[in-house]
Amino acid sequence: MQIGKLWKAGMLAGAAALLLATPATAQNVATVNTVQIFGTIDPAKINDYTEYMAGVNMYEALTTLDASGNILPLLAESWDVSDDTLTYTFRLKAGTMFQDGTPIEARDVVYSVKRLMSLNEGPSYLFEGVLDENSVTALDDSTVQFKLNKVYTPFLTNTPIMFVVNSDLADANKTEDDPWAQDYLANNSAGAGAYMLDNWERGANMTMKRFDGYHLGWADGSVDEVRFIVTNEEATVKALAASGVLSMSSDAQAQETYDSIEAMDGYRVISYATATNFYFKLNHQVAPTDDVHIRKAVALATDYDTIRSALLPGEPLAGPMPDVFSDAYLGTLSEPVFDMEAARGHVEASTYSGDTPIPVEIMYVAGLAFEEEIALLMKSNLDQIGFDTILKPEPWNRMTELASKAETTPAVNMVFFGATYPSPDSFFFTQYHSRAQGTWASMEWVLDDEIDAWIDEARGTGDVAAQNEIYKKIQQKLVDNQSDVYVLTQRSQQAFSDCLEGFSWVPMQSFEFNFHTMKWVCD
């Protein structure tokens, strides 16, 4: 998960006023603030927290998952796996429709996978070497078969984000220069999800309305319309609540905002455990964090208790993965400590010890008060032990651009990252494998052949016990090399209207924001 683009107060006030003035044409309307822009809604390109929030509501996949991470049928009613785990055969549920009323068929799944792998963006990196454009076949209208190119044990856990596109609608909107209808799918929903895109003012707001023909049906009290307003202005969020418009806040507001809203009639603030970590991602390929002593110094100069108690609620994090996957978790890791003298010792032991003050950049999301406060705390500590700390606030879209190359990624980067799919592989491949480098999730640029080989070995074995032992080796080496500063596992907070119920955290990126699972309980 990550947080994004700052918009000026006047624009935000205008967007909020527009939402307040818009007639409530649907029976039950939920208004939600998000602090990150929707960069795209194309299911083959989405790759961050907010984009998946749109994807899970507008599109369906063959499977979904519950709050415990169990994979459940969705568009598929059942599936079989061959003994060698290379062939997966899914049977589609009868009577499912896309949002234009046309039936969902196996050929739509085939098209969607071919499109994903051809465009080579979004979640396609998960299937590199596993699937290609010819790996999926429609056996008949209701049966689709995947033949994997190699054993890949997390495959089933990836299927909830393999969203299915209406192939006829995409084909009707393709051009010679745009054979995969990228322009159309960047601006329109063409799925079978519970909600359809109704209106989108980029960077300001987005509205989704319910699809009456949704295959799971609609119960009394369902949310008919969802209105997102993009803002990280604390005053705007409080004003939306004070007016009674806000239904759900983001989980990235300042503590004072949560306290203020909780004191208002008709609102509650919930706090819940997550598997989302807050890291300082340390770039191993640029100065000065290319030196392990500098990386350890930054970690030891981090005041974990102050951050967790006063700036960002969370639980201690001992390594790159929280204990949500308990069998794969290395329980012998020690929690990081704040020790300025030990930090100074590592600076003196580094190759940069004679070059003090040592310039070091810390990048964080512009406009997020708690990240700015953490950055200022880090600057105060690091400057005491020989650094010249340069704070680099950037809008989220600029951070993602800088993360595309090792040489442009700053030395220290504040990033949230949680399980994109319910497997330990989500933490290791996505962040640390060399083939996954070049995104906001992999700002470490570890580029370690042994780590790569272990991740590949774990992905290719069906022996769960052996796989878990590999994951433990990976954790130990990453900790020994101080891949990141493991700041905390986030304990999220969100403000809710008392009228909105049914929210439940799910261990897959943004799947808890499936509004079809929620209820409006007020008249």
Side-chain angles (χ1 to χ4, degrees):
M1 181 182 78
Q2 187 44 256
I3 318 297
K5 189 170 182 179
L6 175 66
W7 292 85
K8 294 186 182 295
M11 293 176 66
L12 294 170
L18 177 62
L19 284 178
L20 290 170
T22 302
T25 55
Q27 182 182 0
N28 297 324
V29 178
T31 299
V32 182
N33 90 279
T34 176
V35 297
Q36 179 171 303
I37 66 169
F38 294 89
T40 183
I41 59 170
D42 186 331
K45 296 184 177 184
I46 56 177
N47 71 4
D48 66 24
Y49 169 75
T50 311
E51 292 169 1
Y52 272 104
M53 192 185 301
V56 74
N57 285 288
M58 296 181 189
Y59 288 88
E60 297 286 87
L62 294 169
T63 65
T64 188
L65 74 166
D66 62 18
S68 298
N70 300 307
I71 302 300
L72 305 174
L74 192 57
L75 292 180
E77 64 178 9
S78 62
W79 56 85
D80 296 318
V81 183
S82 62
D83 290 341
D84 62 6
T85 71
L86 289 173
T87 303
Y88 291 74
T89 305
F90 294 86
R91 286 168 291 280
L92 300 185
K93 177 181 174 182
T96 56
M97 294 187 298
F98 286 112
Q99 292 166 350
D100 67 352
T102 58
I104 300 169
E105 297 181 350
R107 63 189 176 90
D108 297 300
V109 180
V110 173
Y111 173 88
S112 301
V113 175
K114 288 187 173 183
R115 182 175 186 272
L116 174 67
M117 300 310 296
S118 177
L119 293 180
N120 194 31
E121 296 186 47
S124 64
Y125 73 92
L126 297 174
F127 309 107
E128 187 269 331
V130 176
L131 297 177
D132 57 43
E133 294 182 30
N134 300 310
S135 295
V136 57
T137 305
L139 302 184
D140 55 43
D141 286 350
S142 60
T143 311
V144 61
Q145 188 172 84
F146 292 77
K147 286 188 174 292
L148 278 55
N149 295 328
K150 61 183 179 182
V151 173
Y152 174 47
T153 52
F155 178 72
L156 200 59
T157 68
N158 293 167
T159 53
I161 57 176
M162 198 179 287
F163 294 124
V164 179
V165 171
N166 184 331
S167 60
D168 288 342
L169 187 56
D171 277 341
N173 288 278
K174 69 181 181 181
T175 66
E176 184 176 345
D177 295 332
D178 184 12
W180 292 112
Q182 295 179 71
D183 287 344
Y184 180 80
L185 290 171
N187 298 287
N188 299 273
S189 57
Y195 296 90
M196 302 180 289
L197 181 66
D198 182 59
N199 181 66
W200 183 13
E201 294 187 38
R202 291 177 181 268
N205 57 72
M206 176 186 286
T207 302
M208 305 183 302
K209 291 188 177 180
R210 87 177 202 178
F211 166 43
D212 287 334
Y214 183 55
H215 67 105
L216 295 182
W218 296 93
D220 291 342
S222 294
V223 175
D224 299 306
E225 182 174 307
V226 183
R227 299 174 182 172
F228 296 102
I229 179 168
V230 180
T231 177
N232 57 14
E233 285 288 326
E234 306 295 343
T236 301
V237 177
K238 287 185 282 189
L240 287 168
S243 67
V245 170
L246 185 70
S247 307
M248 177 196 299
S249 78
S250 81
D251 62 353
Q253 305 306 140
Q255 185 62 48
E256 187 275 332
T257 297
Y258 293 123
D259 294 342
S260 178
I261 295 176
E262 189 171 31
M264 299 179 188
D265 290 339
Y267 284 95
R268 68 192 187 280
V269 172
I270 68 168
S271 176
Y272 54 94
T274 74
T276 298
N277 297 336
F278 184 60
Y279 305 88
F280 300 158
K281 288 180 174 286
L282 306 176
N283 186 346
H284 293 214
Q285 305 304 317
V286 300
T289 48
D290 55 350
D291 187 310
V292 66
H293 286 291
I294 295 295
R295 297 198 295 272
K296 288 183 179 295
V298 175
L300 285 161
T302 301
D303 188 346
Y304 302 92
D305 288 343
T306 296
I307 292 172
R308 291 196 301 259
S309 64
L311 302 178
L312 180 65
E315 304 299 327
L317 178 65
M321 186 182 78
D323 61 4
V324 63
F325 303 110
S326 56
D327 291 340
Y329 180 72
L330 183 59
T332 57
L333 295 176
S334 300
E335 292 179 9
V337 297
F338 174 45
D339 187 334
M340 292 286 282
E341 286 307 310
R344 184 177 286 106
H346 277 288
V347 173
E348 292 170 355
S350 77
T351 57
Y352 297 95
S353 60
D355 302 327
T356 55
I358 303 165
V360 62
E361 281 190 329
I362 298 180
M363 184 165 68
Y364 61 94
V365 178
L368 277 187
F370 71 88
E371 288 201 0
E372 181 178 11
E373 291 169 348
I374 293 171
L376 289 169
L377 176 62
M378 289 303 300
K379 176 175 174 57
S380 174
N381 291 345
L382 291 174
D383 287 357
Q384 293 179 53
I385 58 172
F387 290 95
D388 174 19
T389 309
I390 304 159
L391 302 186
K392 188 177 177 63
E394 295 283 0
W396 175 238
N397 60 333
R398 176 60 176 159
M399 287 180 68
T400 62
E401 290 172 7
L402 293 172
S404 65
K405 297 178 182 179
E407 59 269 25
T408 59
T409 303
V412 183
N413 307 276
M414 294 189 189
V415 173
F416 288 93
F417 181 84
T420 306
Y421 46 96
S423 165
D425 181 73
S426 179
F427 285 93
F428 302 119
F429 182 82
T430 308
Q431 297 188 98
Y432 305 112
H433 200 291
S434 297
R435 293 199 306 271
Q437 298 302 298
T439 76
W440 62 268
S442 56
M443 288 182 175
E444 297 88 351
W445 295 95
V446 169
L447 306 182
D448 184 294
D449 290 342
E450 188 171 46
I451 293 290
D452 291 349
W454 284 343
I455 294 172
D456 288 339
E457 184 183 359
R459 294 180 127 209
T461 180
D463 184 335
V464 175
Q467 187 182 71
N468 288 335
E469 290 307 307
I470 296 168
Y471 289 138
K472 291 174 183 178
K473 286 196 302 183
I474 295 170
Q475 289 167 77
Q476 187 65 66
K477 183 168 185 178
L478 289 170
V479 169
D480 289 345
N481 290 338
Q482 200 69 62
S483 64
D484 311 75
V485 178
Y486 315 111
V487 183
L488 56 83
T489 298
Q490 186 182 19
R491 184 163 188 85
S492 282
Q493 295 183 92
Q494 286 181 266
F496 282 83
S497 165
D498 289 341
C499 293
L500 187 64
E501 294 185 352
F503 176 88
S504 178
W505 181 78
V506 177
M508 195 161 194
Q509 185 160 248
S510 299
F511 271 59
E512 62 266 34
F513 299 108
N514 179 350
F515 287 91
H516 183 263
T517 66
M518 301 182 206
K519 301 296 180 194
W520 193 263
V521 297
C522 298
D523 294 331

